[in-house]
Amino acid sequence: MRRAIVVVLDSFGIGSAPDANQFGDQGADTLGHIAAACARGEADTAERSGPLKLPNMAKLGLFHAHRDATGKVAEGVDLPNTLTGAYAHAKEVSSGKDTPSGHWEIAGVPVRFDWGYFLDKTDSFPTELLDRIVDAANLPGVIGNCHASGTEIIARLGEEHVATGKPIVYTSADSVFQIAAHEEHFGLERLYELCETVRGLLEPYNIGRVIARPFVGNDRDDFARTGNRRDYSVEPPTPTVLQKLAEAGGEVVSIGKIADIYAHCGITHKVKASGHDALMEATLGEVARTAKETSDRPTMIMTNFVDFDSVYGHRRDVPGYAAALEHFDTRLPELFAALNEDDLLLLTADHGCDPSWEGTEHTREYVPVMVRGAGFTPGPMGERGTFADIGQTLADYFALEAMADGESFLSSAA
């Protein structure tokens, strides 16, 4: 049985992409700036201290890929002499630096059209759109209507939301409409229904995602978002490698928010999990479950580790991001041990979100591509011209019809 495990470290960029200046991101470097802060002692906390320690990803070629992307070795890092993985740095050709664009391109379908955006920082949404939402969902109104950080706007408007019953609506530089509501006072299922209503009303605006942002707590001092986030995405414009594998009779397992990102297209089995440890446990569980399969059904397991982005990147938390990376790295040997030697393990990212950068938005960066198993020879695979090389490689690995974009790096295997 051919089996691929694809792990997406959400937002883990490794240096400015060639077109970063078009996005105001020239000089952004998620990995490099985290490593530099650690080396200078600026990321020391009770949880971690000293230089950035990622020995397992380092052996997969992470810091080699970063060096190739930026032209320099990350501060405080010694490159390992022996590698266990093949590595590359990949640039994005999609028009945006958002989650759906990055993931769709990873799956072989770059976004070549322009998403719609709500560009105004205040009064962000058209009045006619908000009026339709209020009428269709029988709401007393909405509050927010601006660009905002999710944690900040919940702290600022959460009490008003609870008192009035008006959901909090906000957006960002991404093509997104976000709705925050209290799980108990507003109701979780009611929030999901509202998001589905908004998804339909947004069709003329070409918006990529509606995101449900439920939270709990009694007041601004202890409001906290929960793991019940749900994304409502539009469908990819053409079949992804996930869909092609599913249509060919394969199993495609989504863990975390993967199913939502692909609008549930091409997913045959969904596993919900929240938090990095739970996501790793779910991944290990699916690796164990699928290993017991007696058929030759080809299988892909795909997991998104979202907290790198939502908890640390957007909140510009350098020490937290560093600690999360180090903890993730300590758990990789469990995943290595669970795999068969002919399994394909691939680690990558969907965009950057440099926690040292100005603002709170994603950053346009190269992403790492680290591959282990399936006969791959450890060492460099060079610069990849598109994330779609990953999707093309997966299509090649599973002997599927070739994708329209990307070049397979399966030739790097022995």
Side-chain angles (χ1 to χ4, degrees):
M1 174 181 69
R2 292 219 154 194
R3 188 168 63 164
I5 295 85
V6 181
V7 175
V8 181
L9 286 72
D10 201 310
S11 86
F12 191 36
I14 57 169
S16 294
D19 60 355
N21 61 317
Q22 298 177 26
F23 296 83
D25 294 331
Q26 187 63 45
D29 183 355
T30 299
L31 172 57
H33 288 152
I34 292 171
C38 291
R40 294 191 296 262
E42 296 169 2
D44 290 356
T45 65
E47 191 174 10
R48 65 141 336 263
S49 63
L52 186 63
K53 305 172 188 70
L54 304 174
N56 296 300
M57 284 194 283
K59 289 181 181 178
L60 290 176
L62 172 63
F63 291 111
H64 286 76
H66 174 261
R67 176 203 60 191
D68 293 351
T70 64
K72 58 185 179 182
V73 176
E75 249 181 274
V77 169
D78 293 320
L79 297 180
N81 294 322
T82 303
L83 295 177
T84 59
Y87 65 87
H89 57 292
K91 63 183 180 182
E92 187 171 9
V93 298
S94 293
S95 60
K97 53 179 179 177
D98 53 273
T99 294
S101 295
H103 278 77
W104 294 1
E105 189 167 331
I106 287 169
V109 182
V111 174
R112 302 194 183 281
F113 57 84
D114 289 326
W115 293 111
Y117 298 92
F118 297 110
L119 300 177
D120 294 335
K121 300 297 184 182
T122 59
D123 297 322
S124 302
F125 305 118
T127 300
E128 59 271 21
L129 172 61
L130 294 180
D131 287 345
R132 290 194 192 102
I133 292 170
V134 168
D135 288 345
N138 194 27
L139 298 171
V142 296
I143 54 177
N145 190 17
C146 60
H147 281 229
S149 158
T151 51
E152 176 276 327
I153 201 168
I154 288 169
R156 176 163 54 90
L157 297 178
E159 292 179 357
E160 181 181 350
H161 157 68
V162 170
T164 64
K166 299 177 180 179
I168 303 167
V169 298
Y170 62 105
T171 188
S172 70
D174 285 349
S175 180
V176 66
F177 191 112
Q178 304 194 70
I179 309 175
H182 198 284
E183 283 196 3
E184 297 164 2
H185 294 281
F186 190 84
L188 185 59
E189 291 304 320
R190 186 182 176 204
L191 172 59
Y192 292 159
E193 290 172 4
L194 172 58
C195 288
E196 290 176 358
T197 297
V198 173
R199 175 72 275 170
L201 293 173
L202 283 174
E203 186 173 348
Y205 297 88
N206 195 30
I207 300 301
R209 283 183 297 168
V210 177
I211 304 179
R213 293 287 196 177
F215 65 97
V216 294
N218 299 312
D219 55 43
R220 63 175 298 135
D221 294 326
D222 72 342
F223 285 144
R225 296 196 298 198
T226 74
N228 291 320
R229 162 185 171 159
R230 189 170 292 178
D231 293 34
Y232 298 81
S233 301
V234 296
E235 295 186 3
T238 59
T240 66
V241 71
L242 285 70
Q243 289 167 272
K244 290 191 175 188
L245 181 57
E247 289 166 2
E251 181 169 15
V252 180
V253 180
S254 73
I255 300 177
K257 70 173 190 173
I258 290 294
D260 287 350
I261 293 169
Y262 291 103
H264 302 262
C265 296
I267 309 298
T268 64
H269 182 65
K270 304 168 196 172
V271 179
K272 284 292 185 182
S274 178
H276 282 186
D277 277 329
L279 288 161
M280 182 60 80
E281 291 298 334
T283 303
L284 292 170
E286 288 305 301
V287 168
R289 179 185 68 81
T290 55
K292 296 175 183 177
E293 293 287 332
T294 56
S295 69
D296 291 329
R297 188 182 187 192
T299 298
M300 181 165 72
I301 300 168
M302 191 172 189
T303 307
N304 176 287
F305 285 81
V306 65
D307 287 1
F308 291 124
D309 184 54
S310 62
V311 177
Y312 307 111
H314 284 299
R315 298 185 193 180
R316 297 306 189 242
D317 181 356
V318 175
Y321 207 134
L325 284 169
E326 290 176 338
H327 181 67
F328 174 85
D329 193 81
T330 65
R331 300 213 60 184
L332 275 178
E334 297 174 64
L335 184 55
F336 297 159
L339 299 177
N340 301 320
E341 63 180 41
D342 56 347
D343 288 335
L344 171 62
L345 174 65
L346 194 152
L347 284 75
T348 190
D350 55 341
H351 50 69
C353 196
D354 187 340
S356 73
W357 206 243
E358 59 187 356
T360 61
E361 306 298 345
H362 296 153
T363 43
R364 184 77 161 190
E365 298 184 50
Y366 284 109
V367 301
V369 180
M370 297 171 280
V371 183
R372 173 177 166 139
F376 272 86
T377 301
M381 298 186 295
E383 178 179 308
R384 313 308 303 191
T386 166
F387 298 0
D389 286 6
I390 296 170
Q392 193 71 273
T393 300
L394 291 167
D396 194 4
Y397 177 71
F398 287 118
L400 302 171
E401 177 189 10
M403 308 299 294
D405 289 272
E407 294 183 10
S408 171
F409 43 80
L410 200 61
S411 59
S412 298

